[in-house]
Amino acid sequence: MPNGINRSLFVLTKKRRPKLSTRIQERNNVAVHATGASKATQEAVKRRLYILKKKCDEKRPTCSRCSEQGVECVYGTVKPRQRKRRESAPHTAAGTSSEHYSGARRLSELSYYSHNSSYLGWGVENRGQDLTRYGEPPAVIFNTHFSLGEYPPIDILDDYPNQDPQESPNGGSPEADAPADDEGASPAAGPISPRAASKAPPDLAMIAPCSVASPLQEFHAPAFTEFTERPNRRALIDHFCNVLSHLIVFREETGNPFQQLILPLTRKSPPVLNSILALSCAHLEYRGIENSEKSLYFHNQAIQGVAQMIAQKEKANRTDILAAIMLLVYYECLVQKGRSNIVAGHLKGALTIMCSTDDLLDPAGVFLERAFRFYDVITALSNNTSPISTTPSPGGLLPFSPIGATPTSPLSNIDTLLGMSTTLWPIIHRLSGLSSLKSSLDHAISSNSSPTKIAVLRTEFSSTAQAIEAALNNWQPQLPADFTPPEGNDDPEADPVPVVASRGKSSNIPSIYHNSLAYRHASLLYLYRTILGYGRGHGLVRRHTRLTLKNCVATVGHRGPMSALLWPLFVAACEAGEGRDRELAREAFEKVERRQGMRNIGRAWEVVGEVWRRVDEEEKGKEKEKEEGGKAKGKGEEREELWRTVCREMEVSLVFG
């Protein structure tokens, strides 16, 4: 109570709510005055209603009271309540199922806000975190590790049409939360509810026909509740949407393809959901973040679910089976610890599913088919085997765009999984099959086969290698109209081009461009070093080693998508003999591992370090023999790449996905 003010005066000046009898009388005044009765009849009706404490029953066309009194009943015009117009919900994207869109729409928004954020920089300092100590809501679990910019995941839900935009953050009315000024007027700033904005008198508002707001709009539902009720699993889905799905695609200007096409499948397919949970949990486990449920548990559940769906044959949805298998391929590439052919087995199963059904014309099927082609070639290059799929025809692959992307987008020539290497991929597919042809030729020579067979195989091998070499040298990426590539990309001695930060939808184009060039030069390096058997000191080997590493450093320097960069980086790093090349490889590996945070990247770097150590020991041995006056012992043509020998001795199987 303010000092110096009489308590009775303060009470009298305080605005009070009218008594119940007064409010009933005012309400009945409106109902009676709306009639055409005489003044005396109106007063009689008013007194009776006041005594009975009853209001007009508002029957149409004549209320009961007017019928009893025998007067004309005319209802007055009631001013409707003023309600703030809401924005309409976004339309369903083309190709997205309406029954899945309610969940996918929110994930698409999450993808938009988290794509350009700084969450990808959190690293070693966040190891050792435990997800089990976090409570509700799970969507804010990772906000302690990285920033999603201006819109954290839990705040993004405020913009959805199913949420009342006029709610108070404290759970009460906006008037109770807003500070009142000295004169008791409504505050000028802050949200205003429809009730506060309406100027209708209280008596009209009481009889106005309006809908009652749902009590479900008075609070926020936990994020990803539509997928699972367990908080730790919702946290894994949050990690998949806000972190992991962004690390394995090249473009998502209108939404992330994994969120648009794969995540909606989880609502009806538990194996797909378990595959996503296994992948997210494994990614977090490698970064030192523990979950109450291990990734191996989700992996086993996904494997059992896939087996059950396959057993159902025609009753099972082949898109769901293919999605679960491809997610398991991502999982195996991420967590594999020893030598195994699990990835190759999954790919064979996926090919069986693809061949046993008609063409997958839906967007999810086309996207999964593109993921299969990528891993088929990468696995063949990793294991020195042939791809299990047929070689696509030149020009047969078209860039796959996210749902809703326009043809006029500056990223229209970029594939979501292959980047600018869409037209390069058929050439790399043929290149990966050369190792099998070379093995057949070597076996024919060692087994003393007929000269005719050896000649045919040698001719086929030589002509195929020359055709692939010419195709790689002539290939150039299809660039957007508004992008000018930097000069000196084909000069191994030129200094690296300084990185200039760019913004907007085209900000990732420089990184994607250098990624495609890294694949081109790494393919030539693989051709000369592995297929044709050129020595480590050969001019072409050294040239394309340097160019591959320069483009890898440029890719990570632009801080754009680093998806699928491991194969060209690893191939060139294993051949890096000079100090400058090794510094480039070390810089690229460090930034890629910090950004992607995947186990196969760390294991690949361990193999590279062992390769460098053995190469240095071999060089020191040759120098020592020269100093002693002897002739250095050469090993002649290497029958196997050194890194494959190291992997076999370390019992490590690498898949550069």
Side-chain angles (χ1 to χ4, degrees):
M1 179 68 62
N3 296 330
I5 299 179
N6 187 282
R7 178 176 179 84
S8 60
L9 179 60
F10 180 81
V11 173
L12 290 175
T13 56
K14 186 177 180 180
K15 186 177 180 180
R16 293 185 177 180
R17 190 177 184 183
K19 295 182 179 179
L20 178 61
S21 59
T22 305
R23 287 185 282 125
I24 294 176
Q25 182 178 6
E26 292 176 352
R27 180 178 59 209
N28 292 333
N29 287 343
V30 177
V32 174
H33 281 287
T35 67
S38 62
K39 185 174 181 181
T41 305
Q42 292 179 5
E43 292 295 331
V45 173
K46 287 168 54 178
R47 286 194 301 269
R48 179 175 176 82
L49 293 178
Y50 176 76
I51 295 174
L52 297 177
K53 293 186 178 180
K54 293 183 179 181
K55 64 177 181 179
C56 179
D57 57 4
E58 299 183 8
K59 288 186 178 181
R60 304 298 176 105
T62 303
C63 67
S64 300
R65 304 302 176 186
C66 293
S67 299
E68 294 176 0
Q69 300 297 327
V71 296
E72 182 183 4
C73 182
V74 180
Y75 286 92
T77 303
V78 180
K79 183 179 180 181
R81 295 181 61 183
Q82 299 294 327
R83 302 185 65 86
K84 186 175 180 179
R85 180 177 300 176
R86 302 178 182 177
E87 296 180 359
S88 60
H91 296 287
T92 304
T96 305
S97 176
S98 59
E99 60 178 323
H100 295 158
Y101 185 74
S102 59
R105 173 170 53 83
R106 176 172 64 190
L107 303 179
S108 179
E109 295 289 335
L110 291 174
S111 168
Y112 172 78
Y113 287 119
S114 60
H115 176 63
N116 294 322
S117 59
S118 59
Y119 65 86
L120 299 173
W122 64 283
V124 181
E125 67 275 10
N126 302 301
R127 297 178 185 266
Q129 302 292 335
D130 186 3
L131 287 182
T132 59
R133 66 185 179 88
Y134 292 99
E136 298 283 353
V140 298
I141 286 178
F142 302 102
N143 290 352
T144 58
H145 307 318
F146 57 86
S147 171
L148 288 180
E150 187 179 356
Y151 301 93
I154 197 64
D155 293 336
I156 297 174
L157 303 181
D158 294 346
D159 297 330
Y160 283 90
N162 60 354
Q163 176 65 40
D164 193 345
Q166 308 301 333
E167 291 174 356
S168 167
N170 297 330
S173 62
E175 296 89 338
D177 295 327
D181 53 18
D182 296 338
E183 299 179 359
S186 300
I192 301 177
S193 67
R195 292 190 301 272
S198 176
K199 300 302 182 180
D203 50 353
L204 287 179
M206 296 179 67
I207 65 174
C210 62
S211 59
V212 179
S214 171
L216 297 179
Q217 297 181 352
E218 298 299 328
F219 58 86
H220 288 292
F224 308 111
T225 310
E226 62 269 32
F227 299 101
T228 178
E229 294 295 334
R230 298 188 181 184
N232 66 308
R233 296 187 179 184
R234 291 201 296 266
L236 295 177
I237 297 177
D238 174 87
H239 182 70
F240 178 81
C241 294
N242 289 330
V243 179
L244 197 53
S245 62
H246 301 290
L247 299 178
I248 49 183
V249 296
F250 280 101
R251 56 179 294 196
E252 46 184 346
E253 69 272 22
T254 58
N256 187 279
F258 281 93
Q259 298 177 20
Q260 292 177 327
L261 303 174
I262 306 303
L263 195 60
L265 301 177
T266 61
R267 301 182 66 181
K268 294 184 178 180
S269 178
V272 178
L273 177 60
N274 287 321
S275 300
I276 290 178
L277 295 176
L279 182 60
S280 298
C281 191
H283 189 247
L284 288 171
E285 288 174 354
Y286 175 70
R287 308 197 74 159
I289 301 177
E290 298 296 332
N291 186 37
S292 59
E293 295 176 292
K294 302 301 181 182
S295 61
L296 184 60
Y297 168 76
F298 295 120
H299 173 264
N300 294 337
Q301 293 294 318
I303 290 291
Q304 295 176 8
V306 171
Q308 292 175 0
M309 288 194 299
I310 294 177
Q312 295 177 1
K313 297 182 180 179
E314 299 298 334
K315 297 181 180 180
N317 189 317
R318 289 184 172 86
T319 302
D320 294 347
I321 300 176
L322 190 59
I325 291 177
M326 294 311 304
L327 288 170
L328 290 174
V329 170
Y330 278 95
Y331 171 85
E332 296 296 342
C333 294
L334 177 62
V335 306
Q336 59 180 201
K337 301 178 181 179
R339 295 183 59 83
S340 64
N341 294 322
I342 298 180
V343 174
H346 285 328
L347 292 176
K348 291 180 180 179
L351 180 63
T352 303
I353 297 299
M354 294 169 60
C355 295
S356 62
T357 183
D358 297 333
D359 294 338
L360 300 172
L361 300 179
D362 60 300
V366 175
F367 177 73
L368 292 170
E369 186 267 344
R370 189 60 50 88
F372 166 79
R373 287 193 175 277
F374 167 77
Y375 267 106
D376 184 28
V377 174
I378 288 296
T379 304
L381 294 173
S382 303
N383 299 334
N384 201 22
T385 57
S386 297
I388 61 178
S389 61
T390 58
T391 305
S393 60
L397 294 180
L398 299 177
F400 182 85
S401 304
I403 301 300
T406 60
T408 58
S409 171
L411 307 178
S412 58
N413 293 329
I414 299 175
D415 188 88
T416 54
L417 294 177
L418 304 180
M420 291 186 183
S421 303
T422 307
T423 55
L424 178 64
W425 213 248
I427 306 175
I428 300 179
H429 192 285
R430 296 176 60 191
L431 174 66
S432 61
L434 270 181
S435 60
S436 178
L437 184 58
K438 180 183 178 182
S439 299
S440 300
L441 176 60
D442 294 340
H443 178 72
I445 295 175
S446 61
S447 60
N448 295 323
S449 299
S450 62
T452 304
K453 180 179 179 180
I454 295 177
V456 170
L457 290 175
R458 181 178 286 112
T459 302
E460 181 182 2
F461 173 78
S462 178
S463 59
T464 305
Q466 292 177 2
I468 292 175
E469 180 184 12
L472 290 173
N473 285 323
N474 295 329
W475 181 85
Q476 290 294 332
Q478 298 180 0
L479 304 177
D482 57 347
F483 175 74
T484 302
E487 299 179 357
N489 286 324
D490 293 332
D491 186 4
E493 302 300 329
D495 296 331
V497 179
V499 176
V500 179
S502 55
R503 298 179 180 180
K505 294 183 179 181
S506 305
S507 59
N508 293 329
I509 291 181
S511 181
I512 301 174
Y513 167 73
H514 288 287
N515 185 292
S516 64
L517 291 184
Y519 262 90
R520 174 198 173 198
H521 292 294
S523 299
L524 287 167
L525 175 61
Y526 180 85
L527 174 65
Y528 295 135
R529 186 77 173 97
T530 303
I531 303 301
L532 300 181
Y534 292 179
R536 189 182 300 272
H538 194 279
L540 290 175
V541 173
R542 297 176 60 183
R543 169 185 171 83
H544 291 288
T545 297
R546 175 70 58 81
L547 290 175
T548 302
L549 292 175
K550 284 182 59 179
N551 283 283
C552 288
V553 171
T555 299
V556 300
H558 285 282
R559 304 183 68 179
M562 303 178 192
S563 174
L565 190 63
L566 182 57
W567 180 74
L569 176 58
F570 179 84
V571 169
C574 288
E575 306 302 331
E578 301 179 4
R580 181 182 176 185
D581 293 342
R582 292 187 176 183
E583 286 299 323
L584 293 175
R586 184 176 290 105
E587 178 184 356
F589 259 106
E590 178 183 354
K591 293 183 178 180
V592 169
E593 203 280 335
R594 185 187 303 126
R595 164 82 176 236
Q596 302 294 102
M598 298 183 179
R599 187 185 300 272
N600 57 347
I601 300 176
R603 291 190 176 275
W605 176 242
E606 294 176 1
V607 173
V608 169
E610 179 62 21
V611 169
W612 288 355
R613 188 188 66 80
R614 297 190 183 190
V615 170
D616 293 342
E617 288 182 354
E618 181 180 346
E619 293 297 330
K620 290 180 181 179
K622 291 181 180 180
E623 293 178 359
K624 185 177 181 180
E625 290 181 358
K626 288 183 179 180
E627 291 176 357
E628 293 176 354
K631 185 177 180 182
K633 296 180 181 181
K635 292 186 178 181
E637 183 181 356
E638 297 184 15
R639 307 305 297 176
E640 185 182 43
E641 295 166 286
L642 181 57
W643 71 265
R644 298 189 188 276
T645 304
V646 171
C647 287
R648 185 173 61 255
E649 295 178 359
M650 295 176 61
E651 296 184 351
V652 174
S653 179
L654 291 177
V655 177
F656 307 111

